[in-house]
Amino acid sequence: MRNISVPIHTDRLRSLADRFDHFRSELANTAPLTGTEGLRQLTRHLRTSHELTVEALTRLTAIDGSQVTQMTGALAALDCLAQTVQHSGHVSDSLTTAVAANAYEGTPWDPAKDADVIGRGLRHMDARNAIAAHFDDATASLAICAEGCLVVADHLANAFPGPDRTQARAADNAVTASRVPAAVNLSAPAGIRR
């Protein structure tokens, strides 16, 4: 069994959750492009998606086989992280399906220039609608990924408190202990002092 720095991995999971959420927001606010510009846009999004999937898989690999597997709820935490990897893969799948839905013509469609070419315009409009639907699917999976990372990070933080939390617990115990008078024997019957 490997020993890992749990606070470092907790921070990395929280950072990964932020990255998933940022990408979700970016996709939700992106107007899909078509043609060559659409391919560039999808390529950039696919690259980001693959990077996030690799990072989620790296977190799962680091935690699996470590001392974390001895904590209560370890199997559920690992399963949650594995599902995060799976949903991250769904994001890539949605984006690669969007690549297939794109209308390829070598140049983006410009309504002002191509108003007389009805068929081409309809192909691009249909492609934009299909790509937008795939973006929606991807954003739903990204929300699940962000939540999964936070759930595991919180579980790790609770199961393996860092030095700050350990010191805070020690201080709480000291305050509680100071409230009990030292001279009182709590095992003796009431009214009898030793």
Side-chain angles (χ1 to χ4, degrees):
M1 178 183 315
R2 292 174 290 107
N3 277 325
I4 62 171
S5 172
V6 175
I8 288 174
H9 288 282
T10 301
D11 289 345
R12 288 180 181 167
L13 281 167
R14 287 193 174 120
S15 174
L16 182 57
D18 288 343
R19 290 173 59 202
F20 275 124
D21 192 53
H22 176 75
F23 188 38
R24 181 203 56 77
S25 180
E26 180 183 344
L27 272 183
N29 295 308
T30 296
L33 302 174
T34 55
T36 302
E37 291 303 314
L39 181 58
R40 287 188 187 120
Q41 180 185 61
L42 289 167
T43 300
R44 188 177 74 251
H45 291 325
L46 266 167
R47 187 175 295 119
T48 301
S49 176
H50 289 310
E51 289 169 359
L52 291 172
T53 301
V54 168
E55 180 62 22
L57 187 57
T58 301
R59 294 300 110 235
L60 176 61
T61 303
I63 292 170
D64 184 48
S66 72
Q67 79 273 24
V68 171
T69 59
Q70 302 302 309
M71 73 180 180
T72 302
L75 292 178
L78 290 171
D79 187 52
C80 183
L81 205 46
Q83 289 182 31
T84 299
V85 172
Q86 179 184 18
H87 281 282
S88 187
H90 289 323
V91 173
S92 295
D93 187 49
S94 294
L95 294 173
T96 54
T97 306
V99 169
N102 191 12
Y104 294 99
E105 308 228 9
T107 58
W109 176 60
D110 183 349
K113 293 179 185 174
D114 298 324
D116 59 329
V117 187
I118 294 173
R120 182 170 187 255
L122 290 175
R123 279 195 309 277
H124 282 269
M125 185 174 65
D126 288 345
R128 276 197 314 278
N129 290 338
I131 293 169
H134 295 306
F135 281 7
D136 288 344
D137 292 342
T139 58
S141 290
L142 286 165
I144 293 169
C145 291
E147 185 65 25
C149 288
L150 290 176
V151 165
V152 176
D154 288 346
H155 192 68
L156 289 177
N158 289 331
F160 297 92
D164 294 339
R165 288 187 71 180
T166 303
Q167 290 171 358
R169 283 185 185 168
D172 287 345
N173 290 340
V175 169
T176 303
S178 68
R179 292 182 186 148
V180 178
V184 176
N185 183 341
L186 298 177
S187 63
I192 300 175
R193 302 275 188 237
R194 289 187 183 173

